[in-house]
Amino acid sequence: MKHNRLKKAVSLTAALTLCAGLLAGCQSKGPEETATEFLTAMQSEDFAKASTYLAENNHLTRVFTAVGGESVPELDEVYRAYAERMDEMSFEILGVSEADSNVLNVRVQNLDYDAAIQEAMNAAIQSQVAGDGDTFSNYAGWLGQGVQQAVMGDAGERELTMGQKDGIDGIENMGFMNLLTGGFYDYTDLTMSTCTLSAEEQESVYYIAARGDIVIGCLMIDSLSFDTAALSEEQLALLMAETEKKMRAKGIYDRLEVGDGKLTTYTGVDLNQAESVDLLELGLIDGSRGYREYPSLRKPLQNFEDSGMTVETVPQYK
């Protein structure tokens, strides 16, 4: 009996020694070898292995989790479609930074997802303003369309910082992550906020798409009780002309409906294209930070809630 216990103890000791040796081997790998393994796993679509190199704050873990299960239910199909095209990425590690041995210079070429997604969102805004369903408010639809339509972009070079204890940090390496993913990394925290108001003389619905706190597109629908019979043909024509004038602003799309005792305006804004002066006029920015100002999501949502609107933002990331 003692002999068996001794054999088990020896076997356990040997197993622990082997594991320790393997871990030591992994830890002894240099930044360049580790980066090569990570990038090769990405390229070969071995996302289970690639995820082991990432820190918890790296949003690519959301994409990788969706490949083998459920991650963000509203966007999992888009994540899977994106992952299926990862084999089109190519990379080359150019060398180690002279200033820091944990910093690598890497060249990457991938599909230009950012440009394709921007184009798909713009088309969705215009389509919903024109009355063609929920093409913009269905954010997973235009995000997925952008993923499918992406074409090869230009190669670029960025620094990749290795050596973090918990894995490749998503914040410190945000620039590299965007280069690696063809700009898709910026959309791994995409949200759509729906703001609604229902009052006796006004009904409003606003859809706001944002990457993190940065608003990238919105659609504002306001319906006011209005005695349309009181308008002369000349007044109605003037009203329509003013609306069409707004449509000539870059990245801003308007439509006006008059009928059934209501006046309804549809205003869509692509903030990737709109000029600051027009955003200022619409109240999407306040001009306090000059040319550096970006349209923050938190500020308008708070203003809308204070005015009595109901606000819902999806998805809710963990």
Side-chain angles (χ1 to χ4, degrees):
M1 191 72 171
K2 290 182 180 179
H3 179 67
N4 289 338
R5 287 178 180 174
L6 180 61
K7 284 180 67 179
K8 288 181 180 178
V10 172
S11 298
L12 179 59
T13 301
L16 290 173
T17 303
L18 177 61
C19 288
L22 289 173
L23 288 172
C26 291
Q27 293 170 350
S28 66
K29 291 178 181 177
E32 187 168 351
E33 184 179 356
T34 304
T36 300
E37 290 181 355
F38 164 66
L39 294 170
T40 301
M42 287 277 291
Q43 189 180 53
S44 61
E45 300 181 0
D46 185 352
F47 300 117
K49 180 178 180 180
S51 64
T52 64
Y53 294 88
L54 300 179
E56 287 186 7
N57 70 355
N58 196 309
H59 292 170
L60 277 184
T61 55
R62 295 171 178 168
V63 179
F64 296 162
T65 302
V67 173
E70 182 177 288
S71 177
V72 183
E74 299 91 337
L75 293 172
D76 281 350
E77 287 188 19
V78 178
Y79 290 165
R80 294 181 191 116
Y82 169 80
E84 287 177 358
R85 305 193 69 184
M86 201 63 211
D87 60 348
E88 298 181 62
M89 180 271 292
S90 61
F91 72 91
E92 178 185 1
I93 297 180
L94 303 176
V96 180
S97 169
E98 295 181 0
D100 188 342
S101 61
N102 285 317
V103 177
L104 307 174
N105 297 312
V106 185
R107 177 184 291 122
V108 177
Q109 186 172 23
N110 203 348
L111 302 170
D112 190 348
Y113 291 100
D114 184 35
I117 292 169
Q118 287 189 34
E119 184 177 340
M121 185 190 74
N122 181 276
I125 291 173
Q126 293 192 58
S127 180
Q128 190 160 345
V129 166
D132 297 333
D134 63 348
T135 51
F136 173 66
S137 53
N138 176 19
Y139 60 102
W142 52 262
L143 183 65
Q145 186 176 9
V147 167
Q148 295 293 348
Q149 294 178 346
V151 297
M152 189 58 66
D154 296 329
E157 298 176 12
R158 292 300 294 260
E159 290 184 341
L160 169 60
T161 302
M162 303 294 293
Q164 295 101 337
K165 188 174 181 180
D166 298 328
I168 299 173
D169 190 276
I171 297 175
E172 186 173 0
N173 288 297
M174 188 173 294
F176 178 80
M177 287 297 126
N178 266 306
L179 174 63
L180 175 63
T181 61
F184 188 76
Y185 192 81
D186 266 346
Y187 297 90
T188 54
D189 57 358
L190 178 69
T191 60
M192 179 65 74
S193 297
T194 304
C195 312
T196 57
L197 175 68
S198 182
E200 185 176 347
E201 296 187 352
Q202 177 180 348
E203 292 184 355
S204 299
V205 182
Y206 299 163
Y207 301 104
I208 306 173
R211 297 185 321 219
D213 187 50
I214 301 176
V215 178
I216 58 174
C218 63
L219 171 62
M220 297 170 283
I221 306 172
D222 292 299
S223 185
L224 305 173
S225 296
F226 195 81
D227 185 5
T228 55
L231 282 178
S232 66
E233 291 186 6
E234 182 179 345
Q235 289 172 322
L236 184 56
L238 181 61
L239 190 59
M240 298 295 289
E242 285 297 315
T243 302
E244 290 176 359
K245 183 179 179 181
K246 289 183 181 179
M247 292 177 65
R248 289 194 287 270
K250 184 180 180 182
I252 299 177
Y253 313 95
D254 279 10
R255 180 169 66 92
L256 176 67
E257 280 185 353
V258 180
D260 298 326
K262 292 183 179 180
L263 186 151
T264 304
T265 59
Y266 300 79
T267 303
V269 184
D270 182 344
L271 284 92
N272 297 312
Q273 298 187 13
E275 303 288 347
S276 296
V277 64
D278 296 316
L279 297 179
L280 189 61
E281 185 177 344
L282 288 169
L284 294 174
I285 59 175
D286 60 19
S288 61
R289 298 178 62 186
Y291 70 92
R292 293 182 178 180
E293 184 173 8
Y294 71 87
S296 168
L297 177 65
R298 289 190 296 269
K299 187 181 295 185
L301 291 189
Q302 185 61 59
N303 291 340
F304 292 149
E305 285 185 327
D306 291 345
S307 68
M309 299 188 86
T310 300
V311 177
E312 180 184 10
T313 299
V314 291
Q316 293 291 320
Y317 294 105
K318 296 178 182 178

